[in-house]
Amino acid sequence: MGEMEQLRKEADSLKDQITAARKAVQDTTLQEAAAGITVVGRVQLKTRKTLRGHLAKIYAMHWSTDSNTRLCVSASQDGKLIVWDSISTNKVNAIPLKSSWVMTCAYAPSGNLVACGGLDNMCSIYNLKGKDGNVKVMRELAAHTGYLSCCRFLSDSEIITSSGDCTCVLWDIETGTQKTIFAGHQGDCMSLAVSPDFKFFISGACDFTAKLWDIREDACRQTFAGHDSDINAIGFFPNGNAVITGSDDATCKLYDLRADQDLITYQDSTIMCGVTSLAPSLSGRLILAGYDDFNVNIWDSLKSERVGVLAGHDNRVSCIGVSSDGMACCTGSWDSFLKIWN
């Protein structure tokens, strides 16, 4: 035990040195920099549409980012993956899944493919633009030894997955093989987000840290600590220079990649429950975060003040997304409904 203790002490002292070095170069705080800016006025969004059709808890949703910005995909434990037209509320596709225990879904940037996965430990990819109009399983990517917590496409030929086996993997969809394994987290990887330029991705895990990975060099570039519990949700700031995390410790945090610093924490003494999901607005000025208490809180990202609440779900809000044109946000809940707000 002596050697382990020594190594642990050494690691802790190195961590303290990193913290000290970060402090030394911190010339200003976000609070000081944003002192002259007034808080965003009260943000009041209304439910414009309710997407009904799932028969069980919804676990994930993801907006299409191609030219057809009105489409989104959702995954529920009723064993269905549904592609919705968010304006007409029609179902474009309803895809029956082999395993109903889904935890994540993703829409490819091209709009041609969707993917999902969960407790079956694999990522299933479906082609929406098949020859005969039927949606078929195109590929099943199996190699993770733990549940699939999140997946995000880079293109029609590459996808990144995060898993309960503490790793993230870059897959070649054509061949169904692993291109890169990103290992380094000490706990289950719960979420991931790809940078706007598709060169990096960020992962959040149950070791209370977020890690920035370089997809091209398969290396961990930065590690961000500061949360006191599991990181459930993660996203890039729209300009790609910062990341937002949401945790079971009832807080969200903003980390700047260039300054390598924790900039600001979004919390309120009245919020006692964990963050399940989050999404920034198109400009990044607002951060929408879903919580275990069935609500979505809207934060002013510069002032760390709560400027709005979306209340309307009757159960935990499990997922949230802002459409690529920034005109609407969609929330999915364990109450089996998706709501479109703006």
Side-chain angles (χ1 to χ4, degrees):
M1 195 59 207
E3 195 181 355
M4 276 306 280
E5 274 305 303
Q6 257 177 326
L7 290 170
R8 200 164 278 136
K9 274 205 180 102
E10 193 182 335
D12 285 341
S13 82
L14 288 170
K15 280 178 189 165
D16 292 341
Q17 283 175 39
I18 292 170
T19 309
R22 280 177 174 165
K23 274 228 157 52
V25 294
Q26 186 179 16
D27 51 357
T28 182
T29 65
L30 185 60
Q31 280 85 343
E32 287 166 13
I37 296 171
T38 51
V39 178
V40 172
R42 187 110 187 107
V43 179
Q44 291 183 307
L45 304 186
K46 288 197 173 78
T47 305
R48 303 298 177 184
K49 300 279 190 246
T50 299
L51 307 181
R52 304 167 193 278
H54 281 301
L55 306 172
K57 292 175 179 175
I58 293 170
Y59 268 76
M61 69 79 49
H62 194 214
W63 284 95
S64 158
T65 52
D66 73 326
S67 54
N68 198 350
T69 53
R70 58 200 281 176
L71 298 181
C72 63
V73 64
S74 62
S76 160
Q77 298 206 337
D78 60 7
K80 289 276 192 295
L81 202 60
I82 298 181
V83 178
W84 305 85
D85 181 322
S86 63
I87 295 176
S88 69
T89 72
N90 291 340
K91 298 168 191 65
V92 183
N93 301 99
I95 306 163
L97 306 174
K98 286 186 189 172
S99 160
S100 63
W101 305 108
V102 275
M103 296 173 70
T104 181
C105 62
Y107 219 124
S110 64
N112 298 330
L113 310 176
V114 290
C116 68
L119 296 183
D120 57 357
N121 296 9
M122 67 181 177
C123 181
S124 306
I125 294 171
Y126 296 85
N127 186 0
L128 299 177
K129 307 273 165 69
K131 297 263 193 304
D132 51 0
N134 287 346
V135 178
K136 292 197 182 72
V137 179
M138 181 177 135
R139 216 27 108 247
E140 288 180 340
L141 307 175
H144 279 299
T145 54
Y147 59 87
L148 201 80
S149 58
C150 192
C151 60
R152 286 294 177 257
F153 285 94
L154 296 179
S155 64
D156 280 356
S157 58
E158 289 183 318
I159 191 169
I160 295 177
T161 56
S162 64
S163 167
D165 62 14
C166 307
T167 67
C168 299
V169 171
L170 171 65
W171 300 83
D172 184 318
I173 295 171
E174 303 296 318
T175 60
T177 53
Q178 295 171 301
K179 277 187 162 177
T180 315
I181 298 172
F182 300 92
H185 277 298
Q186 305 289 309
D188 300 13
C189 288
M190 295 307 293
S191 58
L192 74 95
V194 178
S195 64
D197 62 6
F198 292 104
K199 289 175 180 164
F200 297 90
F201 77 94
I202 187 101
S203 58
C206 292
D207 58 7
F208 311 172
T209 68
K211 286 182 180 287
L212 179 77
W213 306 87
D214 188 323
I215 297 169
R216 300 157 300 178
E217 297 182 9
D218 44 283
C220 176
R221 285 264 161 264
Q222 281 162 285
T223 300
F224 297 105
H227 279 296
D228 302 325
S229 191
D230 305 354
I231 295 177
N232 295 323
I234 202 156
F236 268 90
F237 201 71
N239 66 6
N241 289 330
V243 297
I244 317 155
T245 56
S247 163
D248 270 342
D249 64 12
T251 70
C252 299
K253 283 181 180 290
L254 179 70
Y255 295 96
D256 189 287
L257 299 182
R258 296 170 299 181
D260 199 34
Q261 303 271 354
D262 169 358
L263 290 187
I264 195 164
T265 301
Y266 308 98
Q267 62 188 20
D268 192 290
S269 55
T270 60
I271 301 173
M272 308 297 285
C273 57
V275 180
T276 59
S277 48
L278 56 75
S281 64
L282 191 61
S283 67
R285 185 64 199 270
L286 301 177
I287 292 166
L288 298 93
Y291 290 76
D292 281 339
D293 64 359
F294 317 169
N295 289 336
V296 173
N297 288 307
I298 305 174
W299 300 92
D300 180 329
S301 60
L302 294 177
K303 308 296 276 188
S304 179
E305 290 199 25
R306 186 157 44 151
V307 293
V309 179
L310 306 183
H313 284 294
D314 301 326
N315 207 327
R316 171 190 290 197
V317 175
S318 56
C319 51
I320 186 164
V322 171
S323 62
S324 57
D325 60 3
M327 293 304 287
C329 86
C330 178
T331 54
S333 163
W334 282 13
D335 65 10
S336 84
F337 300 126
L338 292 145
K339 289 182 184 288
I340 309 286
W341 310 74
N342 69 7

